[in-house]
Amino acid sequence: MTSPATTASATAALPDYAPIPRSALGPALNEQGYFVGRVERNLYWVTDGVYQSAFLTTPDGVVVFDAPPSIGHNLRRAVEEIAAANGVPNTVTHLVYSHHHADHAGASSLFENVVRVGHEETRRLLLRDNDPARPAPEVTFADRYTLEVGDERVELAWHGPNHSPDNIFIHFPDHDALMMIDVVNAGWVPIYNLNLSEDVPGYIAAPATALSYPWSHFICGHLGRLATREDVAVHQAYIADIEANVKEALASVDPVPFYMRYGENFWAGVKAHLDTVTERAVAPVIAKYTGVLAAADIEVFTRTTTFAIMQSFRLDSGPSGLVHP
């Protein structure tokens, strides 16, 4: 067991970071550790400050969108709170998966006897994972699906892989809202490797697709407030600056000295070359966005995101280098 003295010593050694811009923070949580608020009309969102979910109340029951385990039973409490206040049924009849990842779906099994809806790839991946906390959806679709419950309409669409192979866009046309998870963080930088995304070109393209929809309220899946169209534009600018710096660094950093220095240790040469390209691209982005996007000065986030984008340029866009004569 770790002693208090050891814990205090470890805490004292932790680094300090820039103050969080007040604009990045959301409303205070209640005593149970959650906040539930109205998006528009009968669409609501729930957050624990780190994760987000949403639900739609109807005369025929409640539709839940994602069930993050960190919110867990508080999602049920939020539904019951709103249903009681508005005099509507609190029975959850449908649960929609944005994608298969456990951090957004791991409390799904708390809702029994519901119709689960998701992309066909979500079903395949959940059957593969065989996680009892995330039952596979029974209702699936390939490209488009309109969910209709109690005279309410929700448009689900898959526009290709981005954060994950199955991540979808959830549009609420009658509520001026869009839900797309794990791409844009409202007021914050992405964490490691573009929010741990699997398809870099798809991730980079997804915000433009989001902006092609009509909406004013954006449920992005993380942190303590809803996003705006301006938040999406700032995110795009951050990524565009990384892209521009990566292109410049790839073109200007000469790899030869690194390989000459390490001789037969080819992987050491590769590391030195790519680390130098990454660091040259990272520094100006961190300087520009500290104080603009929360956690921009947590260097490892921007560095790993930059490394992922640089590798995507080399491997997805090409060419990775000159063709040997």
Side-chain angles (χ1 to χ4, degrees), residues 42-277:
N42 54 331
L43 176 65
Y44 295 84
W45 70 292
V46 186
T47 183
D48 61 356
V50 179
Y51 280 84
Q52 299 175 0
S53 178
F55 62 90
L56 187 65
T57 62
T58 82
D60 295 339
V62 178
V63 183
V64 168
F65 301 87
D66 277 356
S70 70
I71 300 178
H73 288 276
N74 278 339
L75 181 52
R76 173 75 74 179
R77 294 184 183 100
V79 169
E80 292 174 353
E81 172 188 338
I82 295 300
N86 294 346
V88 296
N90 65 8
T91 303
V92 176
T93 60
H94 294 73
L95 190 149
V96 176
Y97 289 117
S98 66
H99 63 305
H100 73 286
H101 285 165
D103 62 330
H104 290 276
S108 171
S109 62
L110 297 180
F111 299 93
E112 299 177 346
N113 302 315
V114 299
V115 176
R116 301 176 199 277
V117 183
H119 189 261
E120 61 186 17
E121 184 70 358
T122 300
R123 176 175 172 81
R124 186 189 72 80
L125 290 167
L126 288 179
L127 290 173
R128 177 204 66 181
D129 295 343
N130 193 29
D131 178 3
R134 295 175 288 156
E138 302 90 2
V139 176
T140 64
F141 64 97
D143 297 318
R144 301 283 191 281
Y145 182 78
T146 299
L147 176 63
E148 296 181 335
V149 180
D151 296 327
E152 298 291 347
R153 175 172 58 100
V154 184
E155 301 291 347
L156 312 180
W158 182 76
H159 294 286
N162 46 72
H163 166 69
S164 67
D166 58 326
N167 201 27
I168 63 171
F169 293 72
I170 303 170
H171 187 220
F172 304 90
D174 300 322
H175 299 82
D176 198 20
L178 182 72
M179 184 172 184
M180 180 186 65
I181 304 303
D182 278 341
V183 176
V184 176
N185 298 335
W188 296 68
V189 297
I191 63 165
Y192 308 93
N193 300 311
L194 304 99
N195 282 339
L196 306 176
S197 294
E198 299 179 43
D199 189 294
V200 174
Y203 174 96
I204 292 173
T209 302
L211 290 173
S212 72
Y213 282 85
W215 55 267
S216 298
H217 316 289
F218 188 87
I219 304 164
C220 56
H222 279 289
L223 302 159
R225 68 170 176 83
L226 298 178
T228 65
R229 299 184 80 89
E230 176 61 21
D231 287 320
V232 178
V234 172
H235 168 90
Q236 288 179 302
Y238 169 83
I239 296 297
D241 283 341
I242 292 175
E243 291 182 282
N245 291 351
V246 162
K247 289 177 181 178
E248 187 280 329
L250 281 171
S252 62
V253 173
D254 181 5
V256 173
F258 304 111
Y259 292 100
M260 292 181 64
R261 164 67 177 81
Y262 287 107
E264 292 180 340
N265 192 342
F266 301 117
W267 275 172
V270 168
K271 179 183 184 302
H273 173 217
L274 298 184
D275 283 355
T276 300
V277 169

